[in-house]
Amino acid sequence: MRKDSCRRFEPLLGELLDGELDAKTADTVYRHAAICARCAAKLAATRRLVEAARSLQSPEPPPLLWARIATRLADELPQKERVTAKPRRDRRRACWWRPRWWWRWQAMPLVQRSWKWQAKAAPVLFGATAVVIALLWLVDSGQLLLQPAGGAQMSQVLATPSGYAASARPTSFVSANSAVSIVSTVSTISTGSTVSAGSSLPDADLRDAVFSGVRGRAWPGGTGEHGFVQADADFAETISELGRLVEKERHRLPGSVLVEYESNLAAVERTVREKEEQVRRHPEDYGFRDELYGTYRRKMAVLQEVLVSGGSFR
Amino acid sequence: MSVDIAAAMKPTGTASVSGKDGARGHADAEEWRMVEACLSGDQRAMEALYHRFKRRVFSLIVRIVGVVDAEEVVQEAFVRIFRGLPRFRGDSALGTWIYRLSVNAALSHVDRRPKQAEGEEALAQLTSTSAPPRDPKLAARLEEALTRLPSGYRAVIVLHDIEGMSHEEISAILGCRIGTSKSQLFKARARMRELLKLDDPGLADGSDVVESGP
């Protein structure tokens, strides 16, 4: 056997092993290897090599590798990809037209976060928003109070002390009912206790009462206490619910987000304790209470932010 | 010299990866759904994509760059993958596209790395974490010899002989022709035989050609 023929067959030995040759060529190579010890030895050596290579097992990636990749993605993607990615990538990120209450609704465990549910909920939310806007507009223009809704009934509504609670609630709770409560609050503030049907209020007072909050206002007849209890309960329930969600999602949050969250939460909780102390010392000063509720809202914002920016609902 | 020709002739067969994670012609509907979900920012879909391909990507990269740098390169590869998803057109299977980015990340890392670091990595750690192979000694030597191969040869032999991909898939991943993949594999195997001293030393110089009956 000449070396020339070996040179011709050598490249085919590997393909013979891999089963990539047609029957005729394979037979030719086989016949050559059967009479050529050199090629037979190469064939055996290649076979040992390939078998050893095939027997190697895939190593298991480190268990925390995904956490590190997710952290890098969280750090890098927002900066580099928001510009270059298709617009649809940003669909679920927080923005002005998808405010925080929407994310809160998304976080509800019983609500299925699917497009089907969102499609069903969209008209309801739209309708509720339209009603709220219409009511606020009516209040602002004074038309609602001029409606003769029945003197006794209106007096009863306006005498209920739930107005402060409604106005002190977080904005995400503002609904058609609370808008009515705002109306009663405004009326209570402006007139003392009751408003008879057909009476009117100056626009400036109404606007001031609705849009400037409750800071520094004296509340008639001590009606606030009942409302404060309700507002406190609402805030406590919301914060507790958000806290549960954060605890549930905690293991999925990247380390950098957790560190920032812990720091922000500690700061806001310090402020909450200070404000609560101020309210205890000055229970009659509604300005302190308003500040306390503002601090509650900041705490809710911190909890919502970690859920959103932590990647759970992006 | 005694060589079991019949055993040597037996085809080893290429365990083609076409199928779940492998390279097919185009991306299928399930892969598109996964890509869409990732593009919409769905964290769970991104994690699912990672878990689906992590083993093979890690395996590819660890054998091209070595254990020491593997984790860093795998991170880089997956960041490139998620960053590049908007540019995935579905011309090839998702797996092929992911392996292409992974191999490119590994090869560019090897190119950037100082030359003296080549071949100095101890892969014993890698071997110890794997299940015991049929020939543990040869397997350990093979892992070590891989680190001495030029990166191009290394990529081809890892994809073909270790990962079991076909030349069509390798050509799609490396962006070369099928013939190039075959010739690179032939050279890589020859080099590996040399490094492992698998060829019969008595025949290594090629001077002794034995004529034997069929």
Side-chain angles (χ1 to χ4, degrees):
Chain A
M1 183 62 53
R2 301 179 72 84
K3 283 172 73 177
D4 286 350
S5 58
C6 286
R7 242 180 244 121
R8 189 160 63 86
F9 284 115
E10 263 182 30
L12 300 177
L13 295 175
E15 293 183 37
L16 179 71
L17 278 177
D18 297 334
E20 291 171 354
L21 295 180
D22 60 73
K24 191 179 170 188
T25 315
D27 188 55
T28 310
V29 178
Y30 175 84
R31 284 174 187 281
H32 171 77
I35 58 169
C36 175
R38 175 190 159 83
C39 287
K42 278 195 190 301
L43 194 61
T46 309
R47 182 172 179 78
R48 278 189 71 197
L49 172 69
V50 173
E51 280 184 347
R54 295 270 159 83
S55 70
L56 294 178
Q57 299 294 310
S58 297
E60 193 66 35
L64 292 176
L65 189 54
W66 170 247
R68 286 190 277 272
I69 291 169
T71 307
R72 271 192 69 179
L73 287 171
D75 291 344
E76 294 189 15
L77 284 180
Q79 295 162 10
K80 296 187 177 173
E81 281 305 305
R82 274 182 183 166
V83 181
T84 56
K86 292 175 184 173
R88 59 185 308 152
R89 287 197 68 166
D90 291 333
R91 272 183 186 170
R92 292 194 178 191
R93 294 202 174 109
C95 51
W96 64 268
W97 52 268
R98 191 164 282 179
R100 283 174 179 159
W101 58 261
W102 189 90
W103 293 109
R104 186 176 173 280
W105 178 77
Q106 287 279 295
M108 293 286 184
L110 294 177
V111 175
Q112 298 295 315
R113 284 181 287 114
S114 66
W115 290 112
K116 193 177 170 186
W117 275 93
Q118 290 175 29
K120 284 180 180 174
V124 177
L125 288 172
F126 182 80
T129 310
V131 168
V132 170
I133 292 171
L135 283 170
L136 289 174
W137 181 80
L138 288 172
V139 168
D140 190 32
S141 63
Q143 292 178 31
L144 192 64
L145 299 179
L146 294 174
Q147 296 299 319
Q153 192 182 356
M154 179 64 94
S155 300
Q156 190 183 358
V157 169
L158 296 178
T160 55
S162 59
Y164 184 82
S167 64
R169 282 180 186 181
T171 51
S172 59
F173 287 149
V174 171
S175 62
N177 288 338
S178 58
V180 172
S181 300
I182 290 171
V183 173
S184 65
T185 305
V186 169
S187 308
T188 310
I189 294 165
S190 306
T191 63
S193 60
T194 60
V195 177
S196 60
S199 67
S200 63
L201 293 167
D203 285 352
D205 282 359
L206 281 170
R207 208 174 292 118
D208 185 44
V210 172
F211 296 108
S212 65
V214 294
R215 186 188 302 276
R217 288 196 173 272
W219 291 78
T223 56
E225 284 308 317
H226 176 71
F228 294 154
V229 171
Q230 184 61 45
D232 289 346
D234 285 341
F235 276 117
E237 186 189 348
T238 308
I239 288 170
S240 159
E241 185 183 359
L242 285 169
R244 275 201 305 276
L245 280 170
V246 171
E247 283 309 309
K248 195 175 162 190
E249 298 287 330
R250 192 183 183 89
H251 66 285
R252 296 164 52 82
L253 298 172
S256 59
V257 173
L258 264 180
V259 169
E260 194 180 352
Y261 158 68
E262 302 279 10
S263 160
N264 289 344
L265 190 67
V268 82
E269 276 177 347
R270 266 199 308 278
T271 316
V272 165
R273 282 194 293 275
E274 286 169 16
K275 298 297 175 193
E276 282 174 341
E277 183 59 30
Q278 284 174 340
V279 168
R280 262 196 298 279
R281 269 188 266 148
H282 308 283
E284 294 306 314
D285 192 334
Y286 296 120
F288 284 129
R289 186 166 287 276
D290 200 24
E291 286 173 10
L292 173 64
Y293 289 169
T295 318
Y296 283 156
R297 280 192 284 273
R298 278 204 296 282
K299 187 172 179 180
M300 286 164 56
V302 168
L303 292 165
Q304 288 169 332
E305 195 63 36
V306 73
L307 287 172
V308 175
S309 66
S312 301
F313 304 106
R314 276 189 294 174
Chain B
M1 183 205 148
S2 67
V3 176
D4 185 356
I5 295 177
M9 297 290 294
K10 191 178 158 194
T12 55
T14 301
S16 174
V17 291
S18 296
K20 192 182 172 189
D21 300 342
R24 294 173 303 275
H26 298 279
D28 61 20
E30 187 200 342
E31 289 176 348
W32 272 120
R33 273 197 296 278
M34 187 176 260
V35 170
E36 286 286 313
C38 290
L39 287 179
S40 69
D42 187 341
Q43 195 79 6
R44 286 177 190 158
M46 292 167 84
E47 196 171 346
L49 187 141
Y50 164 78
H51 285 300
R52 181 166 166 180
F53 293 103
K54 64 175 180 183
R55 269 189 98 114
R56 189 156 234 169
V57 168
F58 187 76
S59 174
L60 278 177
I61 288 175
V62 85
R63 289 196 165 105
I64 294 175
V65 306
V67 175
V68 178
D69 296 339
E71 196 178 321
E72 180 195 338
V73 179
V74 171
Q75 280 188 39
E76 177 62 30
F78 272 103
V79 169
R80 284 191 195 186
I81 286 162
F82 286 114
R83 200 191 289 162
L85 269 182
R87 293 187 294 278
F88 175 67
R89 297 190 304 272
D91 298 340
S92 61
L94 182 61
T96 305
W97 184 78
I98 284 174
Y99 302 142
R100 188 188 304 152
L101 290 187
S102 306
V103 170
N104 286 343
L107 291 177
S108 56
H109 179 84
V110 170
D111 289 345
R112 282 198 308 271
R113 197 165 49 182
K115 289 291 174 195
Q116 60 270 25
E118 293 270 354
E120 289 178 1
E121 292 171 13
L123 287 177
Q125 188 190 342
L126 172 66
T127 315
S128 67
T129 57
S130 308
R134 236 179 292 173
D135 185 351
K137 259 187 173 175
L138 180 58
R141 286 170 56 214
L142 192 142
E143 297 271 22
E144 200 272 334
L146 268 177
T147 65
R148 297 188 189 172
L149 276 185
S151 54
Y153 288 176
R154 206 184 307 167
V156 172
I157 207 165
V158 165
L159 290 169
H160 190 277
D161 286 353
I162 298 179
E163 296 299 328
M165 294 184 188
S166 68
H167 287 293
E168 286 80 5
E169 292 159 345
I170 294 170
S171 65
I173 288 169
L174 296 181
C176 63
R177 287 186 294 188
I178 292 175
T180 309
S181 169
K182 285 182 178 176
S183 68
Q184 290 282 92
L185 181 67
F186 170 71
K187 289 173 189 169
R189 280 175 172 174
R191 189 74 185 273
M192 284 295 280
R193 285 200 309 267
E194 274 175 30
L195 290 167
L196 294 169
K197 299 184 172 56
L198 287 176
D199 290 331
D200 189 328
L203 299 174
D205 57 0
S207 58
D208 187 8
V209 177
V210 179
E211 186 89 30
S212 62

